[in-house]
């Protein structure tokens, strides 16, 4: 099964939240079901970051915040050469960090 | 609640220090304590601000270690870790102890020794402030969050790279007047933005932010000594009063904020501090803002209420925030040029206000200040403490 990144869907009121909080930010209930983050959205802002933390060999990382059509917002990496604010992007899931030999999956956005 | 005064304030030089973390903190603390006529009085409690000594300096339980170093036994000791807002948080904890009547003399000392680890480790350590699952695994660092914030904010309000450079130039110029500042270097628009070598002198760190938009990694310590109002006249001839403190928290993941260009916790913390002090932004004579990145000084100057939304960069360009302007901001040089030893920063901002309100700020002295404002900003705005100090009682 391919890796997914999930938002939390409140079982009481249906509100989506990401990241998950202990209680639903809308109604305070604490039962959630996972809702895969997929599909398209709009790139709100982005940066090419050069001063990287541990675990990264590359010269820079391109990062962005995306407003998903589903209503939630997410932070992710961008596999986009020339990102522009407002452009349409599509969520994919891939390896975003390798820590001590283990691969961490996360959201990587590509042009829609 | 009792009124609380600051009866001593001091800072070590900031920068790359040969001193150990405890030596830095002992020097700042001792300097602050010896300003007060303590006589036989004992320090009741020591409150320390620090973010990473257990990780970076192999020292946990920092506050009790400082009591030991200074022979302040059996003073109560505790360390406050609240990210980059630890400093003002620790002052607030000390304020509460004195105001409640539980303690009389409380020493607050913030310290950090960041240069004990290399730059990569320091960047990694500071990135732990981001959301553990929704930001950190992506390689999100504080400069990256600031870069994304800057791009949105600049597009929304017409702020340009020149405006950001003006913040850096102003704060570097102020730091040249502060003997304790980390960076002693005059900047010019030509050198950092317009010359053919600008990209080499001033490379991108997290675009649109460049090297000179970011604060340095510093070692240093700062301390203040707190006492109840009724004791003040015995201890000092130049008391400074803690008039108001406000604090607020925002979402940890920046993307969850309804408008990611708004620093809601800054606005709420500031409102609460003004309310407690019975003052308004127009009453403030000078401010120390948390310019870890140049864009933050502009954005915070609006959220605090000094300027209308979208007008902070215009006031800056007019020179209103220079020493001698209507509202001098970051007379100390700010985090940008005075330096940013994380746990020390909030205490050092408050110490700068004390120096100014006592008329001891030397060449950077603001004329006859009455009320000073400090904003200490943790994470990327998820934990904020605003402090207002007033001259005398
Ligand atoms: Zn709900």
């Amino acid at each position: 099964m391919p890796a997914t990144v999930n938002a939390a869907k409140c079982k009481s009121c249906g509100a989506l939240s990401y990241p998950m909080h202990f209680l639903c930010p809308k109604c305070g209930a604490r039962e959630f079901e996972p809702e895969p983050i997929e599909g398209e959205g709009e790139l709100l802002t982005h940066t090419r970051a050069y001063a990287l933390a541990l675990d990264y060999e590359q010269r820079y990382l391109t990062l962005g915040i995306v407003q998903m059509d589903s209503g939630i917002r997410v932070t992710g990496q961008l596999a986009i050469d020339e990102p522009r604010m407002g452009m349409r992007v599509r969520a994919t899931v891939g390896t975003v960090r390798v820590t001590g030999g283990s691969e961490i999956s996360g959201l990587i956005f590509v042009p829609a | 609640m009792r009124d609380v005064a600051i009866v001593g304030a001091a800072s070590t030089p900031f920068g790359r220090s040969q001193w150990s973390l405890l030596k830095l903190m002992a020097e700042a603390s001792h300097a602050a304590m010896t300003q007060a006529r303590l006589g036989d009085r004992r320090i009741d409690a020591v409150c320390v601000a620090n973010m990473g000594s257990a990780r970076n300096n192999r020292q946990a339980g920092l506050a009790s270690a400082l009591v030991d170093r200074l022979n302040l036994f059996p003073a109560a000791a505790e360390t406050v870790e609240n990210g980059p807002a630890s400093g003002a948080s620790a002052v607030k904890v000390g304020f509460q102890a004195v105001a409640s009547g539980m303690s009389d003399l409380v020493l607050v000392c913030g310290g950090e020794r960041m240069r004990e680890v290399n730059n990569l480790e320091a960047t990694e350590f500071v990135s732990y402030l981001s959301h553990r699952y929704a930001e950190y695994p992506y390689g999100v660092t504080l400069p990256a969050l600031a870069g994304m914030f800057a791009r949105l904010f600049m597009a929304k309000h017409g702020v340009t790279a020149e405006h950001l450079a003006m913040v850096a130039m102003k704060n570097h110029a102020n730091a040249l007047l502060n003997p304790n500042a980390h960076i002693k270097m005059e900047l010019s628009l030509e050198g950092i933005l317009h010359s053919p070598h600008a990209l080499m002198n001033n490379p991108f760190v997290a675009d649109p932010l460049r090297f000179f938009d970011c604060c340095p990694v510093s070692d240093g310590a700062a301390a203040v000594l707190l006492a109840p109002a009724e004791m003040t006249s015995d201890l000092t001839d130049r008391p400074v009063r803690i008039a108001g403190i406000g604090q607020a928290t925002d979402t940890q993941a920046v993307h969850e904020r309804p408008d990611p260009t708004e620093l809601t916790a800054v606005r709420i913390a500031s409102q609460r501090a003004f309310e407690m002090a019975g003052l308004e932004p127009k009453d403030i004579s000078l401010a120390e803002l948390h310019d870890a990145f140049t864009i933050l000084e502009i954005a915070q100057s609006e959220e605090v209420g000094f300027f209308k939304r979208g007008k902070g960069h215009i006031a800056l360009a007019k020179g209103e925030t220079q020493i001698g302007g209507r509202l001098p901001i970051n007379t100390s040089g700010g985090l940008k040029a005075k330096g940013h030893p994380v746990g020390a920063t909030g205490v050092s901002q408050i110490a700068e206000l004390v120096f100014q309100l006592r008329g001891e700020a030397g060449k950077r002295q603001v004329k006859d200040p009455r009320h000073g404002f400090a904003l200490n900003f943790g994470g990327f705005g998820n934990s904020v403490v605003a402090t207002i100090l007033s001259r005398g009682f």
Side-chain angles (χ1 to χ4, degrees):
Chain A
M1 205 180 96
T4 57
V5 176
N6 294 313
K9 183 172 190 175
C10 175
K11 284 186 175 174
S12 278
C13 77
L16 280 176
S17 52
Y18 177 79
M20 193 174 93
H21 297 256
F22 190 74
L23 302 172
C24 171
K26 274 257 162 59
C27 76
R30 54 175 295 188
E31 298 287 321
F32 301 94
E33 54 195 357
E35 171 99 355
I37 297 172
E38 55 195 11
E40 296 186 6
E42 179 191 325
L43 181 62
L44 288 184
T45 185
H46 57 91
T47 189
R48 184 176 278 187
Y50 291 87
L52 301 182
L54 293 179
D55 304 334
Y56 293 100
E57 299 287 321
Q58 57 267 57
R59 226 176 106 246
Y60 61 81
L61 269 178
T62 309
L63 299 162
I65 295 178
V66 176
Q67 172 68 59
M68 300 299 294
D69 293 345
S70 66
I72 56 164
R73 265 199 234 125
V74 299
T75 301
Q77 291 181 359
L78 308 182
I80 302 171
D81 288 337
E82 304 233 329
R84 295 179 323 277
M85 289 169 75
M87 77 185 286
R88 298 288 301 170
V89 296
R90 183 168 57 79
T92 69
V93 175
T95 300
V96 292
R97 190 167 192 145
V98 181
T99 298
S102 60
E103 295 184 356
I104 300 170
S105 293
L107 296 164
I108 301 175
F109 288 90
V110 298
Chain B
M1 276 210 313
R2 301 194 289 180
D3 267 341
V4 179
I6 298 180
V7 297
S11 173
T12 66
F14 284 6
R16 182 188 285 272
S17 182
Q18 298 305 310
W19 291 349
S20 72
L21 177 58
L22 274 171
K23 163 82 167 164
L24 282 163
M25 296 177 70
E27 290 284 352
S29 299
H30 187 255
M33 288 188 292
T34 49
Q35 286 169 16
R37 296 183 291 260
L38 289 177
D40 292 336
R41 291 188 177 87
R42 306 289 302 178
I43 302 292
D44 295 312
V46 173
C47 191
V48 158
N50 173 265
M51 181 167 138
S53 70
R55 182 178 196 276
N56 298 333
N57 317 106
R58 303 179 189 223
Q59 177 71 66
L62 197 55
S64 48
L66 184 64
V67 168
D68 177 87
R69 185 78 161 212
L70 291 165
N71 306 318
L72 295 177
F73 315 108
E78 58 227 330
T79 300
V80 171
E81 193 277 296
N82 192 16
S86 298
S89 264
V91 172
K92 188 200 76 173
V93 170
F95 170 89
Q96 288 173 323
V98 177
S100 70
M102 194 164 176
S103 306
D104 283 336
L105 288 169
V106 177
L107 172 73
V108 182
C109 181
E112 203 82 49
R113 192 161 187 263
M114 304 278 289
R115 307 294 293 241
E116 197 159 323
V117 297
N118 63 34
N119 271 342
L120 182 66
E121 286 284 347
T123 302
E124 172 74 8
F125 161 62
V126 175
S127 76
Y128 293 163
L129 289 161
S130 63
H131 194 284
R132 183 67 182 82
Y133 301 107
E135 292 176 334
Y136 171 80
Y138 293 96
V140 168
T141 58
L142 269 282
L145 290 173
M148 290 192 283
F149 175 85
R151 187 180 302 283
L152 261 184
F153 191 94
M154 291 166 81
K156 189 167 173 186
H157 297 302
V159 176
T160 66
E162 279 81 2
H163 293 112
L164 301 184
M166 281 178 220
V167 174
M169 290 190 296
K170 170 177 70 69
N171 294 352
H172 277 237
N174 291 352
L176 285 171
L177 309 175
N178 181 355
N180 286 329
H182 182 171
I183 308 291
K184 306 281 178 58
M185 180 201 262
E186 197 175 351
L187 297 180
S188 71
L189 263 189
E190 177 65 18
I192 62 174
L193 226 50
H194 297 319
S195 85
H197 307 296
L199 254 184
M200 225 150 62
N201 297 340
N202 191 18
F204 284 103
V205 171
D207 77 328
L209 299 180
R210 300 163 72 136
F211 181 77
F212 284 109
D213 290 309
C214 307
C215 66
V217 176
S218 318
D219 306 331
V224 293
L225 182 61
L226 310 182
E230 63 250 32
M231 207 183 271
T232 306
S233 55
D234 293 346
L235 297 172
T236 181
D237 299 325
R238 279 174 292 180
V240 167
R241 187 166 66 97
I242 299 180
I245 299 178
Q247 187 169 8
T249 303
D250 201 351
T251 66
Q252 193 182 10
V254 171
H255 71 237
E256 278 203 281
R257 301 176 191 170
D259 179 344
T261 61
E262 291 187 14
L263 300 171
T264 307
V266 172
R267 188 168 69 246
I268 294 171
S270 303
Q271 279 168 355
R272 287 175 174 171
F274 282 118
E275 197 172 308
M276 179 171 164
L279 296 170
E280 293 178 43
K282 66 171 170 49
D283 299 319
I284 298 297
S285 315
L286 78 154
E288 289 285 303
L289 300 183
H290 196 106
D291 58 334
F293 305 98
T294 49
I295 187 71
L296 283 179
E297 181 177 305
I298 296 172
Q300 291 167 2
S301 72
E302 299 170 8
E303 292 284 14
V304 170
F306 293 133
F307 308 110
K308 289 204 172 69
R309 197 177 292 284
K311 304 292 184 201
H313 64 292
I314 294 169
L316 164 80
K318 284 187 187 158
E320 290 182 21
T321 58
Q322 293 172 5
I323 295 171
R326 184 164 69 84
L327 176 72
I329 293 180
N330 287 327
T331 56
S332 68
L335 284 63
K336 177 69 199 77
K338 180 186 58 181
H340 184 24
V342 182
T345 288
V347 182
S348 127
Q349 292 177 311
I350 287 167
E352 172 69 6
L353 299 183
V354 173
F355 303 149
Q356 290 280 0
L357 292 166
R358 294 196 305 208
E360 296 169 357
K363 289 180 181 166
R364 63 185 194 284
Q365 180 65 48
V366 169
K367 194 164 169 286
D368 195 32
R370 301 199 59 82
H371 307 288
F373 180 98
L375 190 89
N376 195 192
F377 179 95
F380 199 78
N382 57 31
S383 185
V384 177
V385 184
T387 309
I388 298 173
L389 305 186
S390 300
R391 193 175 70 198
F393 275 87

